[in-house]
Amino acid sequence: MTLAFQYLRSLLYMIQIYVAMLVLGIVFAPYALLSKNGARQACKTYARWAIWSARWMVGIRCEVRGPVPKGEVIVAAKHQSFLDILVIFNALPQAKFIMKRELMWTPIIGVYSKRLGCIPVNRGKRGAAIAQMVNDVAREFSEPGQLVIYPQGTRVAPGVQKPYKVGSGVLYEELKQPCVPVATNVGMLWPRTGLLRKPGLGVVEFLEPIPQGKPRDIFMAELESQIEARSDALMAELGFDKDELRRID
């Protein structure tokens, strides 16, 4: 298979998943406006379609490893591309994401995110943003669910070092819930930027929960250590060599 043909497949795939987002967003809109469950079913349907069509259109197979949490927990995940969002949301029964505020103003994603109870964060106002995030999370957690946060605050390409932010530690202290770390390698196949989607096995792995009650600094160190070590191992399955610090982007 030539590189040019894979680029063409990638282009067609990306076009159709955005068309599918629009079509499903409109079709499910009446149900979603009447019921949060309707909004969740719409997003689940879209995630499953995007994951399934990735397999036959661009050759990306997706696999979930580890015990998927069902109860009220914090899920702290490595974030490499849009694909890990889709896989995590599809796997969790009642996921709520902490997401940048700008996405709340987009026509489809914003409307459905609000219906699901996702938490917007203004990343430019650090102290105030964390305080507001805690208040918003406390309000939304009147309903059960799994709160998904990206500890590094953004997508990070394989091989790039980016610090873990304090927000996940603050939530861990305030909510007094266990935290499930999540590792992934999907950035090797679906890069943070660019069009090309590469064939291979993309994995999202739920790791052993970190029990509640640990000091924040110990929790943060353990969280980063577990996610980074396991993500490196998953990326190595696709040929990534951390020692060479190669970026797939």
Side-chain angles (χ1 to χ4, degrees):
M1 184 185 301
T2 66
L3 183 61
F5 184 56
Q6 188 65 21
Y7 266 106
L8 177 60
R9 296 174 73 191
S10 300
L11 175 62
L12 294 175
Y13 173 72
M14 295 306 295
I15 290 173
Q16 69 87 18
I17 65 167
Y18 283 112
V19 171
M21 181 185 293
L22 177 62
V23 171
L24 290 172
I26 293 173
V27 169
F28 275 89
Y31 184 21
L33 291 173
L34 291 173
S35 165
K36 283 190 175 183
N37 183 59
R40 188 169 304 279
Q41 290 305 313
C43 296
K44 291 275 190 181
T45 300
Y46 174 74
R48 289 166 185 157
W49 170 259
I51 292 168
W52 177 77
S53 59
R55 185 184 186 100
W56 63 267
M57 290 191 73
V58 292
I60 296 177
R61 295 168 291 120
C62 295
E63 179 177 296
V64 175
R65 297 179 186 172
V68 179
K70 307 296 184 184
E72 294 189 55
V73 296
I74 301 167
V75 175
K78 185 74 172 176
H79 187 21
Q80 293 183 337
S81 76
F82 185 47
L83 182 56
D84 56 66
I85 296 176
L86 296 172
V87 176
I88 289 171
F89 182 81
N90 188 51
L92 293 172
Q94 288 182 287
K96 301 176 183 181
F97 287 80
I98 291 179
M99 55 195 293
K100 60 183 180 181
R101 186 173 298 275
E102 295 86 342
L103 289 174
M104 290 296 198
W105 300 106
T106 56
I108 302 295
I109 294 177
V111 170
Y112 279 86
S113 297
K114 290 176 183 176
R115 292 296 292 150
L116 292 176
C118 294
I119 312 298
V121 173
N122 187 343
R123 294 188 299 183
K125 299 179 179 179
R126 300 175 65 183
I130 291 175
Q132 185 63 50
M133 176 183 69
V134 170
N135 290 334
D136 291 343
V137 167
R139 184 183 67 249
E140 289 296 339
F141 259 63
S142 58
E143 297 181 10
Q146 301 80 43
L147 181 66
V148 183
I149 185 171
Y150 295 109
Q152 292 170 293
T154 187
R155 293 170 295 176
V156 180
V160 173
Q161 302 296 315
K162 193 171 181 66
Y164 279 52
K165 297 185 176 182
V166 71
S168 52
V170 172
L171 287 178
Y172 172 77
E173 285 185 335
E174 294 292 329
L175 295 178
K176 303 188 186 313
Q177 295 177 348
C179 177
V180 178
V182 179
T184 191
N185 66 359
V186 298
M188 297 284 290
L189 309 174
W190 183 320
R192 186 174 64 89
T193 60
L195 174 63
L196 184 63
R197 305 291 179 257
K198 301 175 183 179
L201 179 63
V203 178
V204 166
E205 183 169 355
F206 293 90
L207 308 179
E208 287 298 315
I210 300 175
Q212 63 183 38
K214 294 192 176 188
R216 186 192 299 180
D217 56 344
I218 294 176
F219 163 75
M220 292 296 298
E222 189 173 337
L223 180 70
E224 180 172 356
S225 174
Q226 289 190 24
I227 291 177
E228 292 301 311
R230 190 56 195 152
S231 292
D232 286 345
L234 293 176
M235 291 189 294
E237 294 180 11
L238 296 174
F240 181 76
D241 187 346
K242 182 182 179 182
D243 293 333
E244 296 181 7
L245 293 179
R246 289 179 298 158
R247 289 188 61 178
I248 311 298
D249 203 339

